[in-house]
Amino acid sequence: MIPLVDLQAAHAEVAEEVDAGFKRVLATTGFVGGPEVAAFEREFAEFSGAAHCVGVANGTDAVELALRAAGVGPGDEVVVPANTFVGSAEPVVRIGARVVLADIDPDTYLVDVDRMLAAVGPKTRAVVPVHLYGQLADAPRLRAALEGSGVAVVEDAAQSQGALRHGRGAGADGIAATSFYPGKNLGAYGDAGAVLTPDQDQAITVRTLGSHGGLKKYVHDIVGVNSRLDALQAVVLRAKLARLGAWNTARRAAAARYHELLADVDVVLPATLDGNEHVWHLYVIRVPGGPERRDTVLSRLHESGVGAGIHYPYPLHLTPAFADPAFPAGSFPLAERAAGEILSLPLYPQITVDQQEATVRALVAALKD
């Protein structure tokens, strides 16, 4: 069996440090906040090139709190890519705002900046470029185009820990939300997330919102929520963060190996946007021929013991939760076509050459009619 992601291999590298850290937390019973969380926030901010990091309970909360800190409220509109995980859009609805969608670039699957800007209207309060599959969308261009408009750029960086665009990471120049779900490049042992920002006032707002609306016990300045990073998760994240640079380098090497192994195979290889340093959260190919052929290939891979996946099988407007008469089928043809052809191959820092070669052999066999 070749898993899509091998969490056991990652744990084996950090097990001793995690065990020692858990013992520290258990000895003090400081399970929420405390020195482990504060240390992780400092370390992850430094790693990311951001001035401030606020740990929260999960990535979806991170997007919501970042949007609220950026001024999004009920009745506003927020532009989100059609090709993304539902967690990029749920926070918009939870705030009471409306999701407006934009189509994607067909080569990188990132949001098309021109289409995102075209979707901005008089009620738009924010746009959410999603840094998908391990590389950054062009948030700097969005910020430049929207400067002075009152429309915030809130980056969804759940899949891009360590990725750079022109040498800058998410959260270095604008507010960004990230997730530490176990399968991410930097994954916890459960749900966890963070908000990164260069703005101290925004960081204070996020921390206040996530602490029941106040920073002092029983003092609630605004209506907030309960969304804080657990100390035990911070222990895990600190141990993994110390290895993240090396792990991302290993992911790049594995992606380069796939490029070579798949050079003559009838699939479309992933593209990297000029100026990006990719961290390959996922290695996403396209299987020409539409969803039926792609699904057949996926089934055959699973039968061969290869844990491939689809990220994501449905654009947001074709999911029941986000169905909108304004966005019927056919509204976002590039995202719709990609959803019927994309296929994620196994990729993680510890993947071996033999595993990649076996994956490609299985894929070549699965592609045969």
Side-chain angles (χ1 to χ4, degrees), residues 255-297:
R257 190 176 300 118
Y258 270 140
H259 289 345
E260 295 177 3
L261 293 170
L262 294 169
D264 298 319
V265 179
D266 182 26
V267 295
V268 179
L269 301 186
T272 300
L273 186 66
D274 287 345
N276 275 358
E277 187 171 339
H278 210 307
V279 294
W280 298 102
H281 172 60
L282 294 167
Y283 190 90
V284 179
I285 62 172
R286 287 177 77 154
V287 178
E292 184 174 351
R293 183 170 186 244
R294 188 273 314 280
D295 292 347
T296 297
V297 170

Side-chain angles (χ1 to χ4, degrees), residues 140-312:
R141 185 179 161 206
L142 286 166
R143 278 192 290 270
L146 294 169
E147 186 176 5
S149 68
V151 177
V153 178
V154 177
E155 303 172 53
D156 183 340
Q159 299 186 6
S160 63
Q161 292 101 355
L164 300 174
R165 176 151 187 78
H166 300 303
R168 305 285 287 177
D173 301 306
I175 194 165
T178 195
S179 166
F180 303 123
Y181 184 77
K184 304 301 186 187
N185 288 36
L186 181 61
Y189 288 176
D191 273 317
V195 175
L196 298 161
T197 177
D199 187 294
Q200 184 177 25
D201 290 338
Q202 279 188 332
I204 293 172
T205 298
V206 170
R207 196 176 298 280
T208 303
L209 286 167
S211 298
H212 296 290
L215 298 181
K216 294 181 179 180
K217 193 171 184 178
Y218 303 129
V219 177
H220 310 284
D221 301 305
I222 55 177
V223 176
V225 297
N226 178 20
S227 186
R228 294 170 290 188
L229 178 62
D230 293 341
L232 292 173
Q233 300 299 353
V235 166
V236 175
L237 293 169
R238 292 187 70 196
K240 288 189 172 185
L241 180 59
R243 293 164 173 79
L244 185 55
W247 283 354
N248 283 344
T249 297
R251 286 176 179 271
R252 292 188 190 100
R257 190 176 300 118
Y258 270 140
H259 289 345
E260 295 177 3
L261 293 170
L262 294 169
D264 298 319
V265 179
D266 182 26
V267 295
V268 179
L269 301 186
T272 300
L273 186 66
D274 287 345
N276 275 358
E277 187 171 339
H278 210 307
V279 294
W280 298 102
H281 172 60
L282 294 167
Y283 190 90
V284 179
I285 62 172
R286 287 177 77 154
V287 178
E292 184 174 351
R293 183 170 186 244
R294 188 273 314 280
D295 292 347
T296 297
V297 170
L298 178 63
S299 178
R300 290 173 178 174
L301 285 173
H302 288 171
E303 291 170 0
S304 300
V306 175
I310 304 172
H311 300 86
Y312 298 96

